[in-house]
Amino acid sequence: MTSSPPPISPDSEQLNSSSSIQFGTPEALTHVQTLTDVGTMTRLLHECIAYQRNLDLQLENILSLRPDLDKHLTFLQKSADVLEIVKAESDHMLLNVDSTCVLADQVSGKVRELDLAQSRVNETLDRIDAIVERSNCIDGVQKALESEDFESAASFVQTFVKIDAKYKDSGSEQREMLFDAKKRLEAIVRRRLAAAVDQRDHAGVLRFIRLYSPLALEEEGLQAYVSYLKKVISVRSKVEFEQLVEFMEVNQSQVNFVACLTNLFKDIVLAIEENEEILKSLCGEDGIVYAICELQEECDSRGSMILKKYMEFRKLSKLTSEINSYKNEMLSSGEEEGPDPREIELFLEEILSLTQLGEDYTGYMVSKIKGLNHVDPELTPRATKAFRSGNFSKVIQDITSYYVILEGFFMVENVRKAIKIDEHVMDSLTTSMVDDVFYVLQSCCRRSISTSNINSVIAALSSAVSLLGGEYNDALQQKMREPNLGGKLFLGGVVQKTGVDIATALNNIDVSSEYALKLRHEIEEQCAECYVLITVYGPNGIYKSMMFGSPSIIVTVPEVVRKVLLDDDSFKHGWPNSTIEIAGRKSFIGISYEEHKRLRRLTKTPINGHEALSIYIRYIETNVVSALEKWSKMGRIEFLTELRRLTFKIIMYIFLSSEIEHLLEALEKECTILNYGLRAMAINIPGFAYCEALKARRRLATILDRTINERRKKRETPLGITRKDMLDLLLECEDDNGRRLDNEEIIDTLIAYLNAGHESSGHITMWASIFLQAHPEVFKTAKEEQERIVKNMPAGQNGLTLNEYRQMEYLSKVIDETLRVVSFSFMTFREAKKDVEFKGYVIPKGWKILLWYRSLHHNPENYPQPKEFNPSRWDVYVPKPGTFLPFGGGSRLCPGNDLAKLEISIFLHHFLLKYKLERENPGCPVRYLPHPRPKDNCLGRVVEVSK
């Protein structure tokens, strides 16, 4: 064993480090041999002796460690012997483990062989059993057919088919025999089923229908059984309908349409409930959905027939026409006598019962479908849609339209009657009119809510509000407006009676206010119970309803509204067909996204942007100054009507370069009529707003078509066009294939711009003027700003420029606040192009989405004290995305928004500097459809004030 040299101690290292040479190395020896100086040699000698002594000490220390090292060495030698023994034992154990593994593998192989042999034996036994069973099946089928034991025969066929499918080794002769018997059995089953159906043998029908599953004819069986159910329901319904018609001719008192419709629904519901198990046995839960959809066709057919016969029997079409004629006669002479309200009330109750039946039936069936757990995902939406878009649903919409007219007439007539027969009631603080009027309003509103139709509710509430704010309010104020009322209190002999009359009149007003609040709370509670709310103005801000005959989602929160407006891949325009008929199928709300984008790009530039506004500002200002001066000399005017004429003249100049007075007047009149029908109920009966709007559209189209043709001819002549307007741009517009717009497309585009371009500007200008006049401090601040702008104009400048327009910072806040409070365009429509999920809710494909802008603008979370007109809120407030949408948003943002604000600003600039508005009826009720406006169109005077 070799040992390594001992380590050098720290002392020797220190010695070496202080010496001039390193002892113990060849270099040190060579260096010593070259020395000649005795002194140096002596010094090195002493150092060498010291180095040697240090080495001796280290050697002694090392030798002192030897006994311990010897002990350790002895221990290691003994351990090596033990390790040799352990190694030998380990090798022996390893051999034992290896031999055990080999033995286990051999045993496992034997077990596998036994298992394989056993499975082969079992398979052989099963095949033997199958062979025997197949033979038994063939014999059994033959015997069962001979004895007409069709259930056993079907069972034998089912067993044979299962065995044949499992082993596929049946002899061709056996298979042919069995399938021949199967065909004979199928023919017998079909023949016997048809006979049972013809004989109305329900037990026989059930017996043979149950044979379709073992014969693997489930779908055919389902179709046959549902067809049988339809036939049974059809026969029963036909008999009842014929009896109904017979009673109509013989004894009208026994005519009961409600019972007839109830029995139809009852038969359909029982057909599903009582046969649910057999339907499931045929095709699972899909069979139930199929049966519901098929039976709904019977409901559409028979139910629609019953409702149409009811409308014919009650002559609802003629009755509504009479009501309309009565309204017109009342306006002209006031002496015409209309239909009897008591008879109308009977019809209303009948209609209510019929519509409630339809709603309950539809709700039950839809919930039945949605309650199934194992249905094809694509089947449920199709099935539920069938209920909302079928013929029965459409007839319900028709009868609801009649209901709205009748309910409105009934409410108005009874309120007028209550006012007319008003009298003092003994021991009462009010006259009879108060209780009678609010009883009528309460009954009508309750009934309309019970229809579960949002259009009916809105119509009833609108009529109620109109009556309370109009005729009833006038009746309440009549006594208080009596001339020299105060003087009569002190006349001899009549002091007590006059005092009582005044006290009663004041009580009438006070109690009416209390009743109005109670009625409002009751209506809110009933609506909350009646309509299925997801969330109302809550965190999700979504709830569903039925509007304009379509399932709809009403959205009231910014993030959802913004998503719908910006997501053109998931949503498209969704205005009701009635609105599109008036606006035009090739207008902005009726065309595709791509076509809309192209037309918008073409028409936006000429009416928005710096260059366009610079061109129009002088024309707008000239007409505004002239109009204000003219109005101030006219005395009493309808301020809104005059504003609409002014804004219409401006938009006509931009689009058609026309200032012909009679043409402007004719077009503006037709546009006004058209606008009233845009959001009206689609009742195409002469005298109703929708019908009149359709007529106005046709007249507008005729005028514009003539104008377009004249412009085309003028463009063909040299130097025929001196100034290009929007019509010229539309005539020159081409798509990617070089196709130009036809007259219909241009007419629809012009109608949209002419209508929207003057209605919004006119209404907002009116409301801004009203708000300014009602808030003197706002008026003062806005006027001071305009005076500063005029004072700072460059010398020699005549009129406003865009530079001054941009300085109208406070006036811009006034306009924004007016847009927020009024919410001129209070909602818009979209339609889901596919199923869209948001916050855990799925908006199904084809559903309408109503974006309710007014709720955004009046939500206290977005705008504190939202009903207060406060332009200063915009000093530091920056609206969150989706909370301020006066002109819409997304790809359908109003293209004329900049032009509209310019018109309003120029008008208010001159109005603030020189004029004021004196209204005749500051408390005049407001009508909200089609747009918010005072009922008297802001009747008053524009007065010029001295500087």
Side-chain angles (χ1 to χ4, degrees):
M1 178 182 287
T2 60
S3 62
S4 59
I8 299 174
S9 69
D11 292 337
S12 63
E13 287 181 356
Q14 184 178 5
L15 184 62
N16 261 338
S17 63
S18 62
S19 175
S20 58
I21 63 173
Q22 187 172 0
F23 294 106
T25 61
E27 291 80 4
L29 180 60
T30 303
H31 178 69
V32 171
Q33 289 175 349
T34 60
L35 292 175
T36 57
D37 183 50
V38 176
T40 302
M41 293 173 65
T42 303
R43 181 176 57 79
L44 288 174
L45 177 61
H46 288 298
E47 291 177 0
C48 183
I49 293 170
Y51 179 71
Q52 183 179 1
R53 289 176 180 170
N54 188 47
L55 290 177
D56 290 341
L57 290 173
Q58 292 182 31
L59 183 59
E60 288 178 0
N61 290 334
I62 292 171
L63 290 174
S64 65
L65 296 174
R66 181 173 179 177
D68 293 334
L69 291 174
D70 289 340
K71 291 179 182 179
H72 287 302
L73 182 59
T74 303
F75 177 77
L76 288 174
Q77 288 174 345
K78 292 179 179 179
S79 298
D81 295 337
V82 173
L83 289 174
E84 286 294 333
I85 296 171
V86 171
K87 181 178 179 301
E89 293 293 334
S90 300
D91 292 340
H92 180 68
M93 184 178 293
L94 181 61
L95 289 174
N96 290 336
V97 170
D98 289 339
S99 61
T100 302
C101 289
V102 172
L103 182 60
D105 289 339
Q106 292 174 353
V107 171
S108 178
K110 294 296 183 180
V111 170
R112 285 196 297 271
E113 290 176 1
L114 289 174
D115 288 341
L116 181 60
Q118 185 179 11
S119 64
R120 287 176 178 174
V121 169
N122 291 336
E123 184 178 348
T124 302
L125 292 174
D126 289 342
R127 285 183 178 272
I128 293 171
D129 291 340
I131 293 170
V132 174
E133 189 67 30
R134 273 196 294 256
S135 298
N136 292 337
C137 287
I138 294 172
D139 294 338
V141 168
Q142 301 295 342
K143 293 177 181 179
L145 288 176
E146 291 174 1
S147 62
E148 295 191 353
D149 185 0
F150 302 119
E151 288 79 8
S152 298
S155 178
F156 285 130
V157 169
Q158 185 180 32
T159 303
F160 185 95
V161 171
K162 287 181 179 179
I163 294 172
D164 189 63
K166 182 177 180 180
Y167 295 105
K168 299 180 181 179
D169 58 355
S170 304
S172 57
E173 184 178 352
Q174 276 188 325
R175 188 179 291 109
E176 288 179 6
M177 291 175 62
L178 192 286
F179 281 100
D180 180 62
K182 181 175 182 291
K183 289 179 181 178
R184 283 192 292 138
L185 179 59
E186 290 174 359
I188 293 171
V189 169
R190 292 189 182 104
R191 187 168 61 253
R192 294 291 184 91
L193 176 63
V197 170
D198 292 339
Q199 297 169 9
R200 299 184 186 179
D201 179 10
H202 186 65
V205 171
L206 288 177
R207 177 192 176 191
F208 290 104
I209 279 294
R210 290 192 175 97
L211 300 180
Y212 276 81
S213 288
L215 292 175
L217 299 173
E218 290 89 349
E219 291 188 5
E220 181 183 342
L222 178 64
Q223 294 173 2
Y225 192 61
V226 172
S227 177
Y228 160 70
L229 294 177
K230 286 177 67 176
K231 186 175 181 179
V232 171
I233 293 171
S234 176
V235 170
R236 290 180 182 175
S237 178
K238 183 178 180 181
V239 171
E240 287 200 15
F241 185 76
E242 289 173 351
Q243 291 176 351
L244 188 72
V245 174
E246 184 179 343
F247 286 144
M248 288 171 56
E249 298 173 354
V250 179
N251 188 355
Q252 294 189 358
S253 62
Q254 295 186 15
V255 175
N256 192 336
F257 287 91
V258 175
C260 187
L261 189 61
T262 300
N263 290 336
L264 172 64
F265 291 155
K266 181 180 178 182
D267 287 343
I268 295 175
V269 171
L270 289 178
I272 298 298
E273 292 295 333
E274 294 179 354
N275 296 283
E276 186 171 338
E277 289 304 319
I278 193 167
L279 293 172
K280 279 185 179 181
S281 69
L282 289 168
C283 289
E285 291 186 345
D286 287 352
I288 298 176
V289 177
Y290 172 80
I292 290 175
C293 293
E294 288 295 309
L295 295 181
Q296 178 59 25
E297 293 180 4
E298 194 64 29
C299 172
D300 283 339
S301 173
R302 295 292 174 181
S304 300
M305 193 181 300
I306 294 170
L307 292 181
K308 288 178 180 177
K309 182 58 70 173
Y310 170 77
M311 290 187 284
E312 177 188 337
F313 176 65
R314 293 304 188 191
K315 300 177 182 178
L316 295 185
S317 178
K318 180 182 178 182
L319 184 60
T320 51
S321 297
E322 290 176 358
I323 291 173
N324 188 53
S325 300
Y326 167 70
K327 290 180 179 178
N328 294 334
E329 291 294 333
M330 281 290 293
L331 291 174
S332 59
S333 64
E335 298 179 357
E336 182 74 14
E337 184 174 349
D340 185 358
R342 290 172 296 181
E343 182 180 334
I344 297 295
E345 185 173 23
L346 171 64
F347 296 167
L348 288 171
E349 293 297 336
E350 289 177 343
I351 294 174
L352 177 61
S353 298
L354 292 171
T355 54
Q356 281 183 327
L357 270 175
E359 189 66 26
D360 292 344
Y361 165 76
T362 301
Y364 172 80
M365 285 302 191
V366 171
S367 64
K368 180 74 175 179
I369 293 172
K370 292 183 176 180
L372 301 175
N373 300 319
H374 305 289
V375 181
D376 182 353
E378 296 183 359
L379 199 58
T380 299
R382 288 205 306 268
T384 53
K385 186 177 180 181
F387 282 89
R388 301 298 185 187
S389 59
N391 288 333
F392 182 78
S393 179
K394 292 177 182 177
V395 178
I396 283 288
Q397 292 299 319
D398 293 339
I399 203 170
T400 301
S401 300
Y402 289 123
Y403 168 82
V404 170
I405 300 168
L406 298 177
E407 188 72 86
F409 173 79
F410 177 80
M411 183 188 299
V412 171
E413 287 302 302
N414 280 282
V415 168
R416 286 175 178 170
K417 184 177 180 181
I419 294 172
K420 186 177 180 180
I421 64 173
D422 185 31
E423 61 183 3
H424 286 283
V425 180
M426 189 69 72
D427 299 328
S428 175
L429 298 177
T430 62
T431 60
S432 62
M433 171 182 69
V434 177
D435 287 336
D436 292 345
V437 166
F438 278 94
Y439 173 77
V440 171
L441 296 180
Q442 183 187 52
S443 301
C444 293
C445 290
R446 281 179 178 176
R447 188 160 48 218
S448 66
I449 294 171
S450 298
T451 64
S452 299
N453 184 285
I454 192 69
N455 297 321
S456 302
V457 178
I458 291 174
L461 293 179
S462 178
S463 297
V465 171
S466 179
L467 285 169
L468 287 175
E471 296 179 39
Y472 184 67
N473 183 54
D474 293 340
L476 289 175
Q477 298 290 339
Q478 184 176 5
K479 171 59 68 176
M480 306 308 296
R481 291 173 180 169
E482 188 175 326
N484 197 24
L485 184 63
K488 292 182 179 180
L489 288 171
F490 302 100
L491 294 177
V494 294
V495 175
Q496 184 177 358
K497 183 176 186 304
T498 303
V500 170
D501 288 345
I502 295 174
T504 303
L506 292 172
N507 285 334
N508 283 350
I509 295 173
D510 185 50
V511 174
S512 295
S513 300
E514 182 182 345
Y515 281 3
L517 289 174
K518 288 182 178 179
L519 181 61
R520 173 191 169 185
H521 292 316
E522 181 180 335
I523 291 171
E524 288 176 347
E525 291 176 359
Q526 289 179 345
C527 286
E529 293 175 2
C530 182
Y531 295 105
V532 183
L533 300 182
I534 298 175
T535 309
V536 182
Y537 303 110
N540 295 322
I542 305 171
Y543 67 94
K544 66 181 180 180
S545 181
M546 280 289 295
M547 296 194 71
F548 297 94
S550 300
S552 305
I553 300 292
I554 300 179
V555 180
T556 64
V557 286
E559 58 268 29
V560 189
V561 170
R562 193 163 179 267
K563 172 180 174 59
V564 173
L565 288 174
L566 297 179
D567 191 355
D568 291 315
D569 293 331
S570 302
F571 301 96
K572 63 180 181 179
H573 70 82
W575 287 91
N577 288 331
S578 57
T579 304
I580 295 176
E581 285 294 328
I582 295 177
R585 294 200 170 273
K586 296 186 178 180
S587 66
F588 281 111
I589 67 172
I591 56 180
S592 66
Y593 169 72
E594 292 74 17
E595 193 67 20
H596 175 274
K597 189 175 180 181
R598 182 172 71 92
L599 264 183
R600 176 185 169 81
R601 185 171 61 249
L602 170 73
T603 57
K604 181 181 179 181
T605 304
I607 57 176
N608 268 357
H610 184 278
E611 183 179 352
L613 298 181
S614 299
I615 294 172
Y616 302 134
I617 191 169
R618 178 52 57 88
Y619 181 81
I620 295 171
E621 185 175 21
T622 301
N623 281 275
V624 165
V625 172
S626 174
L628 282 168
E629 184 178 349
K630 177 183 175 182
W631 299 344
S632 66
K633 298 174 182 178
M634 289 173 62
R636 188 173 72 164
I637 61 171
E638 287 186 357
F639 188 48
L640 175 59
T641 302
E642 297 299 330
L643 279 171
R644 283 155 74 171
R645 289 173 180 166
L646 170 63
T647 54
F648 191 79
K649 181 179 181 181
I650 294 169
I651 201 70
M652 276 288 289
Y653 175 78
I654 294 172
F655 276 78
L656 297 174
S657 299
S658 176
E659 295 182 287
I660 304 172
E661 199 67 33
H662 71 273
L663 179 61
L664 290 175
E665 185 176 344
L667 287 176
E668 198 275 333
K669 178 182 176 183
E670 302 301 344
C671 280
T672 300
I673 298 173
L674 179 143
N675 188 59
Y676 286 157
L678 278 175
R679 292 186 174 93
M681 290 285 291
I683 303 173
N684 196 5
I685 299 175
F688 287 88
Y690 180 76
C691 180
E692 297 305 312
L694 289 175
K695 294 178 183 178
R697 175 185 163 72
R698 287 193 288 271
R699 293 191 291 267
L700 270 174
T702 301
I703 297 172
L704 292 174
D705 185 65
R706 185 167 59 247
T707 303
I708 293 168
N709 291 333
E710 291 174 357
R711 180 65 62 87
R712 289 187 192 275
K713 291 179 181 178
K714 193 173 182 180
R715 288 169 57 85
E716 294 173 358
T717 61
L719 304 177
I721 301 297
T722 57
R723 172 186 175 273
K724 274 194 175 184
D725 54 25
M726 182 66 73
L727 179 55
D728 292 306
L729 294 175
L730 291 172
L731 289 169
E732 295 171 358
C733 174
E734 293 182 353
D735 61 15
D736 296 336
N737 299 321
R739 188 187 72 84
R740 294 194 173 187
L741 300 176
D742 58 28
N743 278 23
E744 182 183 359
E745 291 171 309
I746 296 175
I747 288 170
D748 286 352
T749 303
L750 288 175
I751 287 177
Y753 269 112
L754 292 178
N755 184 55
H758 86 287
E759 286 287 345
S760 58
S761 302
H763 280 75
I764 296 303
T765 303
M766 175 203 66
W767 282 113
S769 304
I770 291 174
F771 290 149
L772 283 167
Q773 210 72 60
H775 297 80
E777 70 287 352
V778 177
F779 190 103
K780 179 183 177 183
T781 305
K783 182 174 183 178
E784 289 173 350
E785 180 186 64
Q786 304 312 305
E787 290 173 341
R788 284 197 305 272
I789 291 173
V790 173
K791 184 178 180 180
N792 295 331
M793 279 185 183
Q797 178 175 316
N798 184 18
L800 296 169
T801 66
L802 289 183
N803 183 45
E804 284 75 38
Y805 169 61
R806 295 192 184 96
Q807 296 175 35
M808 300 178 184
E809 295 181 1
Y810 186 75
L811 189 60
S812 177
K813 296 171 186 175
V814 170
I815 296 172
D816 283 346
E817 183 68 352
T818 304
L819 289 167
R820 184 195 68 80
V821 173
V822 174
S823 294
F824 177 78
S825 295
F826 64 93
M827 59 89 179
T828 191
F829 286 83
R830 291 291 186 271
E831 182 179 322
K833 296 161 68 174
K834 58 185 179 182
D835 288 354
V836 183
E837 183 175 355
F838 189 82
K839 287 193 172 183
Y841 297 104
V842 175
I843 302 176
K845 177 182 177 182
W847 279 42
K848 304 287 187 184
I849 298 92
L850 276 74
L851 308 179
W852 214 264
Y853 296 150
R854 183 169 288 150
S855 70
L856 301 175
H857 297 161
H858 288 212
N859 190 335
E861 293 184 4
N862 302 328
Y863 301 95
Q865 298 178 323
K867 295 189 181 298
E868 178 184 336
F869 180 79
N870 178 21
S872 297
R873 78 169 73 241
W874 299 91
D875 290 345
V876 293
Y877 177 73
V878 178
K880 298 177 183 177
T883 60
F884 187 58
L885 300 167
F887 297 103
S891 62
R892 305 271 172 167
L893 176 71
C894 175
N897 56 337
D898 289 345
L899 177 64
K901 292 193 74 170
L902 178 67
E903 287 184 68
I904 300 166
S905 299
I906 292 174
F907 181 91
L908 294 178
H909 168 80
H910 289 282
F911 175 79
L912 286 163
L913 290 175
K914 293 183 63 178
Y915 300 93
K916 67 177 181 179
L917 175 65
E918 294 180 351
R919 297 182 65 189
E920 285 204 0
N921 305 306
C924 178
V926 176
R927 285 183 173 172
Y928 288 91
L929 289 176
H931 305 294
R933 72 187 191 282
K935 192 176 180 180
D936 63 355
N937 286 333
C938 196
L939 192 65
R941 290 174 172 80
V942 174
V943 180
E944 185 174 3
V945 296
S946 58
K947 294 184 180 180

